[in-house]
Amino acid sequence: MGRITEDLIRRNAEHNDSVIFSLEELSLHQQEIERLENVDKWCQDLKILYLQNNLIAKIENINRLKKLQYLNLALNNIEKIENLEGCEGLEKLDLTVNFVGELSSIKILRYNINLKEIFLMGNPCADFEGYREFVVATLPQLQRLDGKEIERSERIKALQNYPVIEEKIREQEKAYCLKRSKEKGEAERKLQEEEEKEKQKENKSKPGFDGRWYTDINNTIPYSVLQRDEKEHSEIEESKVNKKTPDELEKEFWEKPTLFSPESRLETHRYLEKQRKDKEKLSDKKKKEKPPRTLITADGRVLNINEPKLDFSLKDDEENNQIVLDLAVYRFMDTSLMDVNVQPTYVRVLVKGKVGEVISANRKARTPEKNNEKNKLQQKKRSKQIEKLEVDPSKYSFPDVTNIVQEKKPASRKIQAKSPVVPCAENSDFEDNPEVPPLI
C-alpha cells in the first residue's frame, strides 16, 4: 500500500521546483494511498488537491488547509463525510463513486460557507429516496449538485418538505448501516479463512523440525532434500484438488459476482498485487545468471579475452627476449583500480573488476646457454662496426694543406695511408719519402 511521504510530494511538485511549503496544487491520484496524512503539515498553502482513484477510507488530517478550494476524492473507499470544517475556503468537493451511506453526515458542510458545488453520484446515498431534496435543504450555500444547477423554486420546495424527507433519509440510513455491518462481518470471516489457508500452505512447505537435518532410525536426510520432497508432495496434492489452469482461475475471479463495497475493492487490489508479485517471481526465476568467464580451458589453453573492450598491442621483441604489452586504459583512472598479474604463460590485467586481457605466451622460453651464445655473436657484430680511435703516436697522417683552397672542388678521394716509418736520422734503414711533407 502507498503512503503520502515527503519524497512522494516532492516528486509530484516538479512544476514548483520540488518546493513543497509554497505548493498550491498537488496531484496524488492512482498512488494506492490508503490513508490521508501529512499533507496539512507540509503543504498548508494548498488550493487544489487531487486524490482520486486511491484506497482512502477516511477524510482526515486536512483541517489546517485553510486556503483549500478544490478537493477531489473520487473513486476511494470513503463512507462518511467528516473533518472538513477547517477548510474555510473550500468551494468544490468531489466524492464521486465512493461508499457514502450516512447522508446525514453532510450536515457538517454547513460551516463551509464558500462551498458552491458537490458531487455525490455513484454513492449508495444517491439512491435514497429524497436524496437531492435533503442535500439542497441541508446546504443552503450550494449552487450545483452532481453537475446540475440548483434552482430557487427547488430549494423552496425542499425546505417545505424537509421534516418528512429527513425522517425518510434516517430510516434508509439505518437499513443501510445494518446491511453494511453484515457485509463487514462476512468480509472479515472470508479474509480470516484466506489467511488460514495461506498459513496452512506455508506450514506444508516446512518440516516439523527447525534443525538443519532430519534424522530417522536408518539414515540422516538433509534438510533441503526433505523440504523439496514435501514441497513436491504438496504441489501434487494441490494439483489433484484443483485442476484448473491459471487462466481459468483468473477468469473465475473476474466473473464471480461481488458486492459493491470497500472490501470488494480491497480484495481486487490484493488480487492484482499478488498477481504482480507472482509475475516478478517468475521473471526472477527465468533470469539466468551469467556463467563465470572461462579464462583457462580444461586442457590448459589460455584464452584471449577483452571484456572492457580496451585497445592494446602485443609485440614480441626477440632481440631482447621479451614480450611488450601496450594497453590503453580509461583517462583519469586511478591506478588502484588496476591489477596486473604476470605469469610465465599469460598476462592478466583487471581494470575496474573486469578482465582486461589474458594474453598467452606461446613461444618457447630460451635456455641460458643459447642466450649467451647469441649475446656473444651480437657483441662481435657490434665490435666490427665500431671504429676505434688510434692513440699510437707512431701512426698518424696529415691532410694535404697545399690544396685547401681550389677553384674547382676535386672529386673526393680516400687517402689510404700506408704504415709510415718513424723518421729518424740515426736509423740506418731510414728512407726519405718525398710524398710526406716536412715536419714543421
Side-chain angles (χ1 to χ4, degrees):
M1 298 290 182
R3 293 192 63 182
I4 300 178
T5 60
E6 184 179 350
D7 181 61
L8 179 64
I9 295 175
R10 288 191 187 278
R11 281 191 280 111
N12 288 274
E14 295 178 353
H15 58 283
N16 200 41
D17 297 329
S18 298
V19 179
I20 62 175
F21 70 90
S22 61
L23 197 63
E24 294 185 354
E25 182 177 344
L26 179 61
S27 180
L28 297 176
H29 62 282
Q30 294 181 346
Q31 298 290 337
E32 299 179 0
I33 297 169
E34 193 175 5
R35 187 183 176 191
L36 185 53
E37 56 185 349
N38 299 325
V39 179
D40 59 335
K41 298 178 183 177
W42 301 328
C43 311
Q44 294 188 7
D45 290 339
L46 272 182
K47 293 182 179 179
I48 300 172
L49 180 56
Y50 296 99
L51 289 165
Q52 67 268 26
N53 202 0
N54 283 293
L55 299 169
I56 299 171
K58 186 178 180 180
I59 303 174
E60 57 185 346
N61 299 322
I62 56 173
N63 258 329
R64 288 190 283 183
L65 300 179
K66 306 294 182 182
K67 300 179 183 180
L68 188 64
Q69 297 175 2
Y70 176 39
L71 176 61
N72 192 333
L73 284 166
L75 293 166
N76 278 279
N77 292 343
I78 295 168
E79 298 188 64
K80 185 179 180 181
I81 301 172
E82 56 188 340
N83 300 322
L84 288 172
E85 302 92 328
C87 301
E88 298 172 357
L90 189 63
E91 297 178 2
K92 184 178 179 180
L93 176 63
D94 193 346
L95 292 170
T96 306
V97 190
N98 274 274
F99 301 93
V100 178
E102 297 183 33
L103 187 57
S104 58
S105 63
I106 205 172
K107 291 180 180 180
I108 65 159
L109 296 176
R110 287 176 177 176
Y111 303 100
N112 302 93
I113 57 175
N114 295 312
L115 186 63
K116 306 298 181 186
E117 188 173 6
I118 187 172
F119 289 88
L120 288 170
M121 63 180 68
N123 286 271
C125 65
D127 298 329
F128 290 174
E129 185 181 353
Y131 148 74
R132 186 175 176 86
E133 291 84 353
F134 180 80
V135 175
V136 170
T138 304
L139 303 176
Q141 74 274 30
L142 270 188
Q143 294 179 2
R144 298 176 67 87
L145 174 61
D146 294 336
K148 186 179 179 181
E149 189 175 354
I150 301 172
E151 297 179 359
R152 186 179 178 185
S153 58
E154 183 182 4
R155 192 183 303 278
I156 294 171
K157 187 177 179 181
L159 289 171
Q160 290 175 349
N161 299 327
Y162 184 73
V164 179
I165 295 170
E166 185 180 13
E167 188 177 353
K168 288 182 179 179
I169 293 296
R170 286 179 180 176
E171 290 177 358
Q172 294 175 81
E173 278 184 352
K174 288 180 181 178
Y176 177 78
C177 289
L178 290 173
K179 180 184 175 183
R180 279 292 299 138
S181 62
K182 292 179 180 179
E183 289 178 356
K184 287 180 181 179
E186 188 177 350
E188 289 178 0
R189 181 181 56 80
K190 189 177 179 181
L191 184 61
Q192 289 178 357
E193 290 178 356
E194 290 179 356
E195 289 177 354
E196 288 177 0
K197 287 181 181 179
E198 291 293 331
K199 288 180 181 179
Q200 288 177 0
K201 288 180 181 179
E202 290 178 2
N203 293 331
K204 285 181 181 179
S205 62
K206 295 179 181 179
F209 298 93
D210 294 332
R212 297 287 299 173
W213 297 85
Y214 174 78
T215 307
D216 59 4
I217 299 173
N218 299 322
N219 54 7
T220 302
I221 303 172
Y223 173 80
S224 58
V225 175
L226 180 65
Q227 189 177 15
R228 183 191 62 195
D229 294 342
E230 289 188 357
K231 187 176 180 180
E232 290 177 356
H233 182 67
S234 62
E235 288 177 354
I236 292 168
E237 287 183 350
E238 287 179 3
S239 63
K240 288 179 180 178
V241 175
N242 190 5
K243 296 181 180 180
K244 296 180 181 179
T245 61
D247 293 336
E248 291 176 350
L249 291 172
E250 185 175 0
K251 185 178 180 182
E252 183 181 352
F253 175 82
W254 291 112
E255 291 181 352
K256 180 178 65 175
T258 55
L259 298 172
F260 179 64
S261 64
E263 291 78 21
S264 63
R265 284 198 68 198
L266 289 172
E267 183 183 1
T268 304
H269 175 73
R270 285 195 296 267
Y271 178 78
L272 294 173
E273 188 72 13
K274 185 180 178 182
Q275 274 194 330
R276 184 181 62 81
K277 290 181 179 179
D278 291 342
K279 286 180 180 179
E280 288 179 358
K281 288 180 181 179
L282 288 173
S283 61
D284 291 339
K285 288 180 181 179
K286 289 179 180 179
K287 287 179 182 177
K288 295 181 180 179
E289 295 182 358
K290 292 183 178 180
R293 288 276 188 181
T294 304
L295 305 179
I296 302 175
T297 59
D299 56 353
R301 185 166 55 90
V302 181
L303 302 179
N304 188 0
I305 296 172
N306 189 358
E307 190 175 7
K309 298 180 181 179
L310 298 174
D311 294 333
F312 73 96
S313 63
L314 184 67
K315 297 178 181 178
D316 191 354
D317 189 357
E318 293 185 355
E319 292 184 359
N320 298 320
N321 190 27
Q322 61 185 5
I323 295 176
V324 180
L325 173 62
D326 186 6
L327 178 64
V329 296
Y330 308 108
R331 182 179 291 181
F332 309 125
M333 192 183 73
D334 196 285
T335 53
S336 62
L337 300 175
M338 288 180 56
D339 184 20
V340 182
N341 184 11
V342 181
Q343 298 293 333
T345 57
Y346 66 88
V347 178
R348 179 186 297 164
V349 182
L350 291 176
V351 181
K352 298 173 75 173
K354 296 182 179 180
V355 179
E357 314 294 335
V358 177
I359 293 96
S360 174
N362 293 325
R363 62 190 182 89
K364 296 180 180 178
R366 297 179 178 86
T367 59
E369 294 179 358
K370 292 182 180 180
N371 291 339
N372 291 334
E373 291 176 1
K374 187 170 182 179
N375 291 334
K376 288 178 181 179
L377 292 172
Q378 290 177 356
Q379 289 177 1
K380 287 180 181 179
K381 289 179 182 179
R382 290 174 185 172
S383 63
K384 289 180 180 179
Q385 294 173 357
I386 297 172
E387 294 181 358
K388 295 182 179 179
L389 179 64
E390 296 291 345
V391 294
D392 189 358
S394 63
K395 298 179 180 180
Y396 58 88
S397 63
F398 290 93
D400 189 0
V401 296
T402 59
N403 297 323
I404 291 177
V405 179
Q406 295 180 355
E407 294 180 0
K408 293 182 180 180
K409 189 175 180 180
S412 61
R413 60 187 183 86
K414 293 182 180 179
I415 301 173
Q416 296 180 354
K418 298 180 182 179
S419 55
V421 181
V422 178
C424 184
E426 296 178 356
N427 192 353
S428 58
D429 297 333
F430 173 74
E431 291 181 3
D432 191 7
N433 189 351
E435 294 180 0
V436 179
L439 296 174
I440 296 172

